[in-house]
Amino acid sequence: MRIVSSDISRPTVTASLPAGVATLGTSRLAAAGPQPTAAGTDPQQHHPRPTTVLIHGAFADASSWQGVVELLQAQGHQILAPALPLRGLASDAAYIRSVLQSITGPIVLVGHSYGGSVITQAAGGLSDVKALVYIAAFVPDIGESALALTGKFPGSTLPQATSTQTYPLPGGEQGEELVIKQDLFHDQFAAGVPAQTARVMAAGQRPITLSALQEPAQEAAWKTIPSWYLVATEDRNIPPAAQQWMAQRAGAHTVSIRAPHAAAVTDPGAVTDLIRRAIRSTTEWHAPL
């Protein structure tokens, strides 16, 4: 391992990445590809460029990836950012797994927050998933839940910032789901974004069921798939110490930046940079950044 400086939009605290990571550029639009080899063959034919799939977490939706999507698409990458139901870990993972199985070719799978639990379970046994990228996210082992990992280290202020509301279940029963109180959303979830942006995010936040956060993981895809992790050192949802511990346990290539839980919103450049490192690792085909 060696220390590498990352080109990010906010100060880097630490950056720990392996030497010799290959460089990959991808193309979603009709961008010019590399010149044919001397033999007249295009290396892309042998090493297809991956699709990057972005999975949001609790209290957010796919629009939270907007800055990252714009940067990656501008570089020609193929991107998909599906909506996550946030109803239960097994059902959410099954849905994302169905999305992954609809994609042809290699996949780089990215999860934020609770989305990390989802990708950890959804990717189990899928050979096309070549890299897992965790952005201030849960990385559970089999039998671990998001709530258990949150409580493993002190520092989360999420319990005080959330309120519980009920929703109907089949058969007439009631379930419980959590939302972040709108007046606390800015400081809790997205400190550093403009106040008006935080108010919009708070108004459109997606509730998550309490049972989804309590449900233990049934797969641990990081044990067989290479992983990357971005630690948000100002996170008030998942303690940074918990993030560091999960990243180390998974053997993830890790960077740390001064960012809140909504790191993809406040620091899309840093998040994009880490995702690109994961993309480069998935193929022997190289192109300028």
Side-chain angles (χ1 to χ4, degrees):
M1 300 290 285
R2 63 185 175 93
I3 302 300
V4 180
S5 297
S6 297
D7 180 15
I8 61 176
S9 59
R10 292 162 68 98
T12 302
V13 179
T14 63
S16 177
L17 292 161
V21 177
T23 302
L24 170 67
T26 63
S27 175
R28 179 178 184 178
L29 304 177
Q35 295 298 316
T37 64
T41 60
D42 185 344
Q44 297 178 64
Q45 295 174 358
H46 303 288
H47 304 289
R49 291 171 285 183
T51 298
T52 299
V53 181
L54 307 171
I55 307 301
H56 67 83
F59 318 116
D61 61 18
S63 69
S64 62
W65 293 111
Q66 179 177 340
V68 174
V69 170
E70 289 174 349
L71 288 171
L72 288 172
Q73 286 184 338
Q75 296 160 2
H77 295 282
Q78 176 77 22
I79 307 299
L80 189 62
L84 190 60
L86 302 174
R87 298 293 88 181
L89 180 55
S91 60
D92 288 343
Y95 170 68
I96 295 304
R97 189 178 181 88
S98 73
V99 173
L100 301 176
Q101 290 173 325
S102 72
I103 297 170
T104 300
I107 297 167
V108 171
L109 186 55
V110 185
H112 171 241
S113 188
Y114 166 76
S117 293
V118 173
I119 69 171
T120 297
Q121 183 151 322
L126 294 184
S127 60
D128 282 342
V129 178
K130 304 301 184 182
L132 300 171
V133 184
Y134 295 91
I135 308 300
F138 295 109
V139 190
D141 201 346
I142 295 171
E144 293 178 341
S145 70
L147 278 184
L149 289 168
T150 300
K152 194 171 184 68
F153 293 85
S156 176
T157 56
L158 186 61
Q160 305 94 291
T162 55
S163 60
T164 303
Q165 56 193 31
T166 60
Y167 67 98
L169 292 171
E173 297 181 355
Q174 296 287 312
E176 292 184 329
E177 60 184 11
L178 299 177
V179 295
I180 297 178
K181 299 170 185 176
Q182 291 200 25
D183 60 330
L184 300 179
F185 189 94
H186 192 186
D187 288 342
Q188 179 64 42
F189 195 85
V193 307
Q196 178 56 33
T197 301
R199 286 194 291 270
V200 172
M201 292 173 64
Q205 66 176 293
R206 296 275 304 282
I208 185 169
T209 65
L210 182 59
S211 60
L213 297 175
Q214 296 171 328
E215 189 174 341
Q218 300 172 13
E219 297 278 355
W222 51 267
K223 292 185 176 181
T224 57
I225 302 173
S227 61
W228 282 254
Y229 199 108
L230 184 142
V231 175
T233 65
E234 304 300 309
D235 198 326
R236 298 180 182 179
N237 280 24
I238 306 175
Q243 296 180 37
Q244 291 278 11
W245 181 82
M246 288 185 286
Q248 183 176 7
R249 179 178 67 173
H253 311 283
T254 301
V255 298
S256 297
I257 67 169
R258 187 178 180 182
H261 189 62
V265 179
T266 61
D267 296 83
V271 172
T272 300
D273 182 68
L274 187 63
I275 293 171
R276 288 166 66 209
R277 294 177 191 273
I279 291 171
R280 292 175 208 151
S281 77
T282 66
T283 178
E284 296 176 10
W285 181 84
H286 310 296
L289 293 179

